[in-house]
Every structure is written in C-alpha cells, then in structure tokens.
Amino acid sequence: EMGVLVRVHGGAVRGKTDAQPSFDERRDENRQEKARIAAKAASLIQPNMVVSFDAGTTSLMTAELAPDFPFTAITAGIMTANALCRRAGVNVIQVGGALHKSSYTATGFMAVEGIQSLNADLCFISTRAIDLNQGTMEPILPLIEVKRALVSVAKKVVLLADHTKFATTSLSLGVPMGEIDTLITDEAAPQDALAQLRRQGVEIILA
C-alpha cells in the first residue's frame, strides 16, 4: 500500500493519501443517518418480492434490517448475502464473479451476466456521491457495471444516500439520474437539491 511521507522534526510520519476508505470505515461514516435510511428502505420490502441489493454499506444495513418474511434477495455483495442469510424466510441468490476484495463483492462478466438473467421488483443502491445533473458518482470502476446491471433488471430503483453525498463528487458516473425512481435520504439533505430532483421526477423519502 502506497502512501506519502511528511517531514516532521526528528524524522517523518505517514501522511494521508487519496485512497478510498476501507469498507469498515465507510460503514462507520454517518452511521446514525445511514441506520435511519436503511430502516425506511427495509420498510418498502413486501412479502414475496424479488429485491436486489448492491454491495454498499447502506444497502448492507438495509439487509440487516430486512423483514423476516418470505422474499427473494439478489446481491453480488458477500457481506450483504451473509446478513440476508440470517433471515430464515429470505431466499438469497448470491451472484458470483471475480471478487473485489476491499468491497467484498463479485464483479466482472460473470456477475453481470448472472444478474441480467434475473428480474427484480425493487433494487437498493448506494453511492459515494450525487451529481444532480448526471446521477450517482463512483470511485471504483469494476463496481459500476455490476450496479448498472442490478438497475437494468429492476422495476423500481431506490437510491440510499445521506446528506453528505451531495457535498462531494467522485471519479465516474455510476447510474444516470433518469434511472432512479426514489431517493431515501436524511433531513439534513440540501432542500434546493431535493427540489431539483423532485422536478426531475425522483420521489424523495426523508428518514
């Protein structure tokens, strides 16, 4: 792992880089807001639905709060699948592929083709940043095609994003805003941004 050294009196210390935070670090970011968003998301799941989850940390929290009645869950995320397996009533479909280790998720053509052979009533996705004019913005390129595949086979797409996602950007476009039906966010989200998304036809749910 590469970093930078910062000169200090008597030697040098390792400084911060632009590397992405670890999965555990991302999970702990804005944890209270994410928990409220996840609870609201989990309440959208109905019996006998087919529900897909990306491998993001807010989607993982949604899986952890999922109801324990019969429904089918699709995910490429190992941590997400593990959480769903704790629900006795849930039928879990774990999509395979090349493992992206820092995100605990399957990627590549095997994952994409596996997802595209399925259909879902509801899809939960999370993101690193939101561009109001473009869509979700992502830092990890191999995960984008998996996220897009999940979106492409779902009747309804729900974006899970706390207010901090409006104040940043990231490397590449993930999912275009026109493919997102609903945004679940917290009450600190900027009102002007929410108003713009409503004008674009996105349903807003505050948690």
Side-chain angles (χ1 to χ4, degrees):
E1 180 181 6
M2 296 190 65
V4 294
L5 293 179
V6 179
R7 178 179 291 179
V8 298
H9 180 69
V13 296
R14 186 175 297 277
K16 292 183 179 179
T17 71
D18 292 330
Q20 293 301 316
S22 70
F23 187 91
D24 289 337
E25 289 171 337
R26 295 198 307 273
R27 188 174 182 181
D28 288 338
E29 291 174 342
N30 308 302
R31 194 176 183 91
Q32 292 185 347
E33 291 88 344
K34 286 182 178 180
R36 291 195 296 271
I37 291 168
K40 187 71 72 170
S43 72
L44 300 180
I45 302 173
Q46 299 297 317
N48 301 313
M49 270 187 167
V50 179
V51 183
S52 61
F53 300 76
D54 75 359
T57 57
T58 312
S59 295
L60 171 58
M61 288 187 180
T62 302
E64 292 171 337
L65 296 173
D68 193 6
F69 53 57
F71 75 93
T72 296
I74 302 167
T75 187
I78 295 172
M79 302 289 282
T80 308
N82 182 61
L84 290 162
C85 283
R86 299 176 188 274
R87 297 289 189 265
V90 181
N91 174 40
V92 181
I93 299 175
Q94 167 72 68
V95 176
L99 183 63
H100 187 271
K101 293 182 180 179
S102 66
S103 299
Y104 302 105
T105 184
T107 63
F109 79 93
M110 292 177 66
V112 170
E113 290 184 0
I115 292 166
Q116 290 176 338
S117 69
L118 304 168
N119 291 291
D121 299 299
L122 187 61
C123 173
F124 293 121
I125 60 170
S126 51
T127 189
R128 193 65 188 165
I130 295 174
D131 183 303
L132 297 177
N133 296 313
Q134 295 189 73
T136 69
M137 305 299 292
E138 307 294 343
I140 304 174
L141 298 181
L143 305 188
I144 292 176
E145 61 180 353
V146 175
K147 199 176 301 256
R148 288 179 177 176
L150 290 169
V151 166
S152 73
V153 300
K155 294 178 182 176
K156 182 175 183 178
V157 177
V158 180
L159 173 61
L160 313 176
D162 67 73
H163 68 277
T164 64
K165 304 303 172 67
F166 293 90
T168 186
T169 189
S170 196
L171 177 65
S172 181
L173 175 66
V175 176
M177 193 59 70
E179 297 184 21
I180 296 168
D181 300 296
T182 300
L183 166 68
I184 305 180
T185 188
D186 61 271
E187 294 185 356
Q191 293 302 309
D192 56 342
L194 299 184
Q196 180 174 331
L197 291 175
R198 288 189 180 100
R199 290 193 295 271
Q200 293 174 222
V202 178
E203 177 190 22
I204 306 296
I205 298 176
L206 296 179

